[in-house]
Amino acid sequence: MAQNPFPLGKDELLKAYRTMRTIREFEERLHVDFAKGDIPGFVHLYAGEEACATGIMMHLNDNDRIASTHRGHGHCIAKGVDVHAMMAEIYGRSTGACRGKGGSMHIADLSKGMMGANGILGAGAPLICGAALAAKVRGDRGVGITFVGDGASNQGTFLESLNLAAVWNLPVVFVVENNGYAESTAMEWAVSCDSYVDRATGFGMPGVTVDGTDFFAVYEAAGEIIRRARDGGGPALLECNMVRFYGHFEGDAQTYRAKGELEAIRASRDCLTILSERVIEAGVIGRDELQAIDREVNALIEDATRAAKAAPLPTPDDLLRDVYVAY
Amino acid sequence: MSRKISMKQAINEALDLEMRRDPTVIVMGEDIVGGTGAQGEDDAWGGVLGVTKGLYAKHGDRLMDTPLSESAYIGAAVGAAACGLRPVAELMFLDFMGVCFDQIFNQAAKFRYMFGGKAETPVVIRGMVGAGFRAAAQHSQMLTPLFTHIPGLKVVCPSNAYDAKGLLIQSIRDNDPVIFCEHKNLYGLECEVPAESYAIPFGEANVLRDGDDVTIVSYGLTVHRAMEAAAALAKDGTEAEVIDLRTLSPIDWDTIVESVERTGRLVVVDEAHPRCNLATDIAAFVGQNAFGALKAGIQMVTAPHTPVPFAPSLEDLYVPSADSIASAVKRTLSPKGASPRIAA
Amino acid sequence: MLNERIKPIVMPKWGLSMSEGKVTGWLKRPGSTISIGDELLEVETDKITNVVEAGETGVLRRVLGEPGTVYPVKALIAVLAEPDVPDDDIDAFINSYAVPASEDDGEAEAGPQYHTAETPAGTIRYAKRGESGPTVLLVHGFGGDLDNWLFTIDALAEKATVYALDLPGHGQSNKQIADPSLSGLSKAVLGFLDTVGVERAHFVGHSMGGAVSMRTALDAPGRVASLSLIASAGLGEQIDHGYIQGFVGATSRRDLKPVLETLFADRGLVSRQMIDDLLKYKRLDGVDEALRALSASLFAEGRQASVLASGIADARTPTLVVWGEEDRVIPADHAQALANTAQVAVIPGAGHMVQMEAAGKVNALLKDHIAKAD
């Protein structure tokens, strides 16, 4: 076996691959089942963006908090939320992560430090400032990570949070997941500057731009700014440039894309392929080892789907549970 | 030991006692220390009207000035609450909710339900409400109905110093988000308040005056107007029961309905605008649940459906007066009050 | 002077915080001949309604207090005089009558109404009235405070030095109770007496306070000159568990009102102010824990844990037992537990708060008992 040229040991690399493959398999299964009409509501898929969530979350523990977005399945899986509970939640079952009352856009598991996917774009940024403040008040070295798309990066909440985090010197990392589209509107048109690093600089914090399809690039850049935040060095911004394999939501015909664009990015910018090729090429991990993981993940998602479909629905009593009801 | 203090002092004392009792209680807001980073005194203001004055000396960094950035710091208070702190965030004037409402009604209010009961958000958002301060249209509103409309929020509006202290302590200890509405024209009003800590349970209206002829329900400043009206009516032999709701969500339906079942007449007084406010809410509830007890049509006394005017002469007309409340009571007592008004 | 034969009836001052009272109705007509102890009229205060009894004899020559009207304390509401006093003299007396100085002035002269003592059991609030004669200590019951002696303290203070305290966990004393047993409370009371420099006192205890007084008489007989046990705990096992549970559990006016009504024969005596004052007390941090600890220790499973009757019967401490015949909290037949060794008085038409509901009669019994025992 060749010497490992990567910043992670083999077990860690296998874990990263398993996480990314789990996200991919989860999302592709949803893509298929949604089209069949099995899933209520609407879902936003993270496929294509797995390296970002995984490269960051490899540095976090359950005491660190993340605030996610409407496109949150990948963040959940990478942060350790149970895949069966997620799938059941998406099917609106009582065994779901939120007992079927949140759905795809609101999966949360505070015991894992996952403060919730969020249907309001940009809303997670102030929340994560609060999570980081709580860590700072307790002195427990916890950090907060908020994810925002290129679209929601224009929200006042996000920009105000950059300022607040800098003023209060909070252990926060703002991650801009730049997949080029705010729903259907191009980032080049809707964002007034060329680089998010310029915005970070404007708020007095460091900013880094990485190729978000390169797991190792994300992992190394995130490691440095997370370490800095954990040590009291204050907030930072990480821009991950990446690609979205499906539409804004399932059913989106994506007519705003250029002809051949999707085929091109799938061929050249698939983060899973990039990671696999590199570890196999380096001789650190064998293709058969990855294929074994693929089979296990496939079985896991199959089982999660089967279990979700078979799980009980919430009871009528659940309608009035877990909120103060005035009437 | 009990002594007379103002509502402003009572709020300060509640914050002080709870910060002493529970290290997870933090207080944040614009100018609540006052002068942070400036060259003058360490705690120059203690809040724009001095409500938090002196707390910085006692609690140091657990009192946090914020940038003028309501979305960010109200959201941060909500996020910190979901992560184990008990933040009290001052929104100065609750009219400013417009720039941070998402964090209140889509985030704080939703977490417990939306996350299947697996999250708690023990945040208190306190701020000034109400007219009569010559503060014009954007600093004077009684926006309580906007908050009571939202499930998941608890809404409190004390009318005196004793209630303010006990309700704020309860708000801080409560595990749900609480909107704590402080009528700015009541800050100076004094009454007997125990020096010790005490909590007034939510959903417990205070019957300030017993009477068998008519029930007057109100909250906040207009409670005092209702009491003035009741005193005037007593001279003519009409005994009004006056109910101070204290908490608007949860609301004490039992006390209202029990009273109306005895008096048969109801006047609801609300400083909020007339459409979809507490007055309409209570009138509808009583109409649905105690119709048989009513001897006359329910009367509502509210602010007009206008912004709050600046000119003092106009603003004085805006807030429901003791006279308008007494007139409404008389309408319920007149023979015509019993018959439905036919709309043209 | 002619005035000496004209005796004013004034609005009484019941307890420490009363500043005015409302005449609710007269029980005697003008022209009636009045003896000491006759019930003259009813007065309602913000705390309670009670009967004003005559302290002197004469004919009720003028009735000035109008029913439904509020008068300040010491305002002239009626005039007693012998039949031969001329009407003109009475009119002149009425015209020249001036209400004595207001309460605030009086308070400044008499010193503060309440005091606090730092005792081994923590801060204890107390009131002290009277300057001479034997020393009397008033011990309230479960959930009560020194204002339960509203109609007692000033009457006894005419011929005694009277202390009334808030037990630990009660009133405005500290809310922690180190030892929520009768012995623990008894030690707290003795610690209080040490702090205020009282060696020996006539103990007057109501309900649980009666049991605390008995415990003290047994454990420290030298410090208890006599016992007056009013609707006392500790004389039998029975107690209305519903009352204890209701009192501990109530958090609202609606819940507390029916509970308090069981304390009185006349339910109408439970006023808005009485309920509000108790709710304010019950909301204080530490009170709920204190009341639960006491009720678990003293009244677990609806039975009184300590029955001290036989010990007290053997101890020979001069003892008076007073009960309201209609007591719904502790049955009046418990009074008979000491029938062989104590003076026993069961008063008709009164409930558990007999010292408030039949204040005149109870005060007369107490004065007589203390005078004889001293």
Side-chain angles (χ1 to χ4, degrees):
Chain A
M1 190 67 67
Q3 203 179 0
N4 181 350
F6 303 113
L8 301 89
K10 182 175 175 182
D11 288 350
E12 291 284 280
L13 286 171
L14 288 170
K15 184 184 162 199
Y17 179 81
R18 183 184 294 273
T19 301
M20 288 169 64
R21 173 55 71 190
T22 306
I23 297 170
R24 177 68 56 88
E25 191 74 22
F26 190 91
E27 299 294 59
E28 295 198 326
R29 182 61 188 250
L30 287 182
H31 177 72
V32 171
D33 288 350
F34 188 86
K36 289 192 229 158
D38 290 351
I39 295 167
F42 43 99
V43 291
H44 307 87
L45 302 183
Y46 197 73
E49 309 186 359
E50 295 87 347
C52 176
T54 308
I56 291 165
M57 248 63 94
M58 293 290 284
H59 298 285
L60 304 184
N61 57 55
D62 288 351
N63 189 43
D64 298 319
R65 263 62 176 218
I66 67 164
S68 175
T69 69
H70 59 294
R71 197 176 305 286
H73 303 162
H75 304 140
C76 289
I77 291 170
K79 195 72 174 73
V81 180
D82 179 65
V83 168
H84 280 74
M86 287 179 61
M87 192 64 87
E89 187 61 34
I90 290 166
Y91 275 84
R93 304 295 164 142
S94 67
T95 53
C98 306
R99 301 197 170 109
K101 287 159 82 171
S104 162
M105 264 190 295
H106 305 297
I107 298 173
D109 184 347
L110 276 88
S111 69
K112 295 282 180 190
M114 166 59 191
M115 291 180 68
N118 209 310
I120 305 298
L121 299 181
L127 297 172
I128 211 66
C129 288
L133 175 64
K136 194 175 168 179
V137 167
R138 275 196 293 267
D140 64 9
R141 291 180 53 78
V143 298
I145 315 288
T146 184
F147 294 88
V148 65
D150 49 282
S153 75
N154 291 323
Q155 290 280 12
T157 45
F158 180 70
L159 300 167
E160 286 191 32
S161 297
L162 289 174
N163 184 64
L164 186 72
V167 167
W168 279 352
N169 194 42
L170 296 174
V172 174
V173 175
F174 295 91
V175 178
V176 180
E177 295 184 319
N178 182 358
N179 62 23
Y181 294 96
E183 307 195 3
S184 69
T185 304
M187 179 268 176
E188 282 85 358
W189 179 83
V191 178
S192 62
C193 53
D194 294 334
S195 164
Y196 285 95
V197 173
D198 294 342
R199 286 199 172 167
T201 307
F203 287 101
M205 69 179 72
V208 185
T209 301
V210 296
D211 177 356
T213 63
D214 178 352
F215 167 79
F216 294 108
V218 175
Y219 178 84
E220 292 195 52
E224 191 178 328
I225 58 180
I226 288 169
R227 210 163 23 249
R228 178 175 173 277
R230 213 184 277 292
D231 290 342
L237 184 147
L238 176 65
E239 177 188 6
C240 296
N241 289 316
M242 51 208 223
V243 291
R244 195 179 78 197
F245 279 2
Y246 293 104
H248 166 60
F249 54 88
E250 278 312 275
D252 175 6
Q254 304 188 69
T255 44
Y256 44 86
R257 286 194 192 266
K259 247 194 163 68
E261 180 181 324
L262 266 178
E263 293 73 11
I265 58 175
R266 278 178 179 271
S268 65
R269 299 197 68 198
D270 182 337
C271 59
L272 259 173
T273 309
I274 295 169
L275 175 64
S276 320
E277 297 301 326
R278 283 190 62 186
V279 294
I280 292 166
E281 239 169 66
V284 177
I285 298 174
R287 189 173 298 276
D288 55 334
E289 291 177 277
L290 298 183
Q291 284 168 344
I293 289 176
D294 292 351
R295 284 191 296 277
E296 286 169 29
V297 167
N298 182 274
L300 171 73
I301 300 302
E302 178 60 33
D303 189 60
T305 304
R306 181 200 51 75
K309 287 178 174 174
L313 297 169
T315 66
D317 287 350
D318 289 325
L319 177 67
L320 303 182
R321 190 167 295 149
D322 294 323
V323 67
Y324 169 72
V325 179
Y327 283 90
Chain B
M1 216 34 117
S2 195
R3 71 268 113 92
K4 276 197 167 175
I5 59 172
S6 68
M7 189 163 106
K8 192 192 287 192
Q9 290 169 302
I11 291 165
N12 182 293
E13 198 166 274
L15 293 170
D16 184 25
L17 288 168
E18 284 304 284
M19 290 183 89
R20 271 197 260 169
R21 188 185 68 85
D22 182 350
T24 68
V25 176
I26 60 167
V27 177
M28 64 171 77
E30 291 158 358
D31 307 302
I32 59 137
V33 178
T36 297
Q39 298 296 307
E41 295 170 47
D42 266 353
D43 56 342
W45 275 14
V48 68
L49 291 186
V51 173
T52 46
K53 185 75 179 167
L55 294 178
Y56 182 72
K58 295 176 189 165
H59 302 288
D61 291 345
R62 287 166 65 201
L63 235 70
M64 305 175 71
D65 270 345
T66 68
L68 299 189
S69 188
E70 287 88 1
S71 263
Y73 82 79
I74 293 293
V78 171
C83 293
L85 298 190
R86 290 187 180 272
V88 180
E90 178 178 306
L91 191 49
M92 199 180 295
F93 295 88
L94 277 181
D95 311 63
F96 301 169
M97 64 177 265
V99 288
C100 58
F101 202 34
D102 178 67
Q103 294 293 330
I104 298 171
F105 90 102
N106 266 330
Q107 311 298 329
K110 301 285 192 283
F111 285 169
R112 181 151 75 92
Y113 188 87
M114 189 168 77
F115 298 157
K118 297 177 186 173
E120 284 175 341
T121 316
V123 65
V124 181
I125 295 165
R126 46 168 291 270
M128 286 183 266
V129 294
F133 205 61
R134 314 315 187 203
Q138 296 171 344
H139 290 71
S140 303
Q141 297 166 88
M142 182 59 86
L143 296 172
T144 43
L146 296 184
F147 296 110
T148 55
H149 187 69
I150 306 298
L153 295 181
K154 291 177 177 168
V155 186
V156 179
C157 189
S159 70
N160 61 72
Y162 173 84
D163 287 351
K165 178 173 169 181
L167 290 169
L168 182 52
I169 287 175
Q170 176 60 38
S171 301
I172 293 169
R173 296 177 186 178
D174 200 278
N175 285 336
D176 282 323
V178 178
I179 309 298
F180 193 85
C181 306
E182 301 165 11
H183 202 295
K184 48 182 98 62
N185 278 356
L186 293 174
Y187 271 153
L189 189 70
E190 294 190 346
C191 72
E192 289 277 335
V193 179
E196 301 103 308
S197 273
Y198 59 94
I200 299 177
F202 287 171
E204 199 61 63
N206 190 18
V207 182
L208 288 172
R209 192 181 189 286
D210 294 311
D212 288 331
D213 298 327
V214 60
T215 301
I216 308 177
V217 178
S218 192
Y219 64 93
L221 176 85
T222 46
V223 165
H224 300 275
R225 305 273 163 92
M227 288 295 280
E228 279 174 53
L233 289 161
K235 288 179 186 151
D236 302 334
T238 300
E239 292 298 337
E241 185 143 300
V242 179
I243 297 174
D244 177 358
L245 292 170
R246 292 203 286 218
T247 67
L248 312 180
S249 257
I251 188 167
D252 187 354
W253 294 122
D254 290 349
T255 293
I256 297 169
V257 168
E258 277 171 24
S259 178
V260 173
E261 281 174 346
R262 194 156 29 74
T263 64
R265 295 181 170 85
L266 175 63
V267 174
V268 201
V269 186
D270 190 352
E271 195 187 316
H273 306 298
R275 299 288 314 283
C276 306
N277 62 3
L278 267 292
T280 59
D281 190 29
I282 291 165
F285 188 89
V286 170
Q288 182 164 311
N289 294 284
F291 184 76
L294 289 171
K295 299 173 190 159
I298 298 165
Q299 292 291 322
M300 293 184 268
V301 184
T302 70
H305 203 59
T306 68
V308 181
F310 168 67
S313 59
L314 294 177
E315 193 184 25
D316 290 345
L317 295 173
Y318 177 90
V319 182
S321 66
D323 282 348
S324 61
I325 297 165
S327 299
V329 167
K330 285 173 188 159
R331 284 198 294 280
T332 68
L333 290 162
S334 72
K336 267 199 280 182
S339 55
R341 182 180 293 173
I342 308 297
Chain C
M1 259 176 74
L2 193 58
N3 277 0
E4 286 172 12
R5 302 190 60 213
I6 301 177
K7 296 150 188 167
I9 308 280
V10 301
M11 176 59 66
K13 179 172 170 60
W14 287 327
L16 303 170
S17 59
M18 178 173 167
S19 61
E20 60 184 25
K22 180 156 97 180
V23 174
T24 53
W26 285 88
L27 305 171
K28 296 285 182 198
R29 293 171 178 282
S32 308
T33 301
I34 306 297
S35 308
I36 291 176
D38 282 356
E39 297 188 337
L40 293 177
L41 74 155
E42 275 191 344
V43 166
E44 180 186 315
T45 74
D46 54 6
K47 290 202 193 296
I48 195 165
T49 301
N50 204 358
V51 171
V52 178
E53 295 175 0
E56 304 192 73
T57 57
V59 171
L60 187 59
R61 297 287 295 271
R62 292 280 194 285
V63 168
L64 304 167
E66 296 283 345
T69 303
V70 173
Y71 295 90
V73 162
K74 295 179 187 169
L76 187 66
I77 51 175
V79 176
L80 282 185
E82 293 309 315
D84 59 334
V85 176
D87 280 343
D88 286 354
D89 290 359
I90 289 176
D91 290 337
F93 175 87
I94 291 167
N95 288 334
S96 64
Y97 182 86
V99 178
S102 75
E103 183 189 309
D104 286 348
D105 299 341
E107 188 184 326
E109 283 166 30
Q113 296 173 335
Y114 297 109
H115 312 268
T116 54
E118 298 306 322
T119 78
T123 303
I124 295 290
R125 182 184 70 149
Y126 68 101
K128 183 187 175 193
R129 313 293 277 179
E131 294 296 335
S132 59
T135 301
V136 176
L137 177 70
L138 307 178
V139 187
H140 64 77
F142 177 76
D145 66 17
L146 57 80
D147 281 335
N148 293 167
W149 306 108
L150 200 64
F151 305 121
T152 318
I153 186 165
D154 287 315
L156 298 190
E158 289 167 13
K159 289 178 181 169
T161 304
V162 187
Y163 290 87
L165 84 165
D166 290 340
L167 289 168
H170 291 78
Q172 293 183 21
S173 290
N174 74 285
K175 300 304 179 294
Q176 287 73 43
I177 305 179
D179 173 4
S181 67
L182 290 182
S183 303
L185 292 175
S186 170
K187 284 191 190 106
V189 168
L190 288 173
F192 164 74
L193 290 181
D194 292 342
T195 307
V196 296
V198 170
E199 176 54 34
R200 189 173 157 83
H202 296 271
F203 275 54
V204 179
H206 175 242
S207 196
M208 180 187 79
V212 172
S213 300
M214 284 192 271
R215 188 72 260 164
T216 310
L218 296 173
D219 294 347
R223 306 197 66 173
V224 180
S226 74
L227 283 171
S228 297
L229 306 174
I230 302 173
S232 184
L235 296 176
E237 281 197 352
Q238 208 178 324
I239 188 162
D240 179 4
H241 197 41
Y243 169 77
I244 299 289
Q245 286 181 314
F247 185 86
V248 172
T251 58
S252 71
R253 189 169 178 263
R254 202 179 309 110
D255 295 342
L256 190 57
K257 189 165 189 255
V259 174
L260 295 184
E261 283 173 351
T262 59
L263 288 171
F264 296 90
D266 175 2
R267 291 162 201 263
L269 291 177
V270 175
S271 67
R272 139 173 323 288
Q273 190 67 38
M274 186 187 296
I275 301 168
D276 283 353
D277 286 351
L278 271 166
L279 279 177
K280 284 180 178 177
Y281 155 70
K282 280 173 57 61
R283 287 176 190 139
L284 294 171
D285 277 7
V287 167
D288 188 58
E289 293 83 344
L291 292 178
R292 286 179 194 280
L294 280 175
S295 71
S297 158
L298 303 178
F299 313 121
E301 288 153 22
R303 313 296 297 174
Q304 298 191 46
S306 300
V307 178
L308 307 173
S310 61
I312 290 297
D314 296 343
R316 299 281 166 207
T317 310
T319 301
L320 166 70
V321 181
V322 180
W323 230 284
E325 197 174 57
E326 295 177 35
D327 194 325
R328 292 194 291 262
V329 179
I330 303 178
D333 60 20
H334 285 201
Q336 304 312 320
L338 292 175
N340 294 331
T341 56
Q343 181 191 348
V344 174
V346 178
I347 297 173
H352 191 61
M353 301 302 286
V354 58
Q355 81 276 30
M356 300 179 90
E357 241 178 323
K361 293 192 179 89
V362 174
N363 290 343
L365 287 162
L366 291 173
K367 284 180 190 175
D368 184 54
H369 175 67
I370 290 165
K372 280 190 209 153
D374 196 56

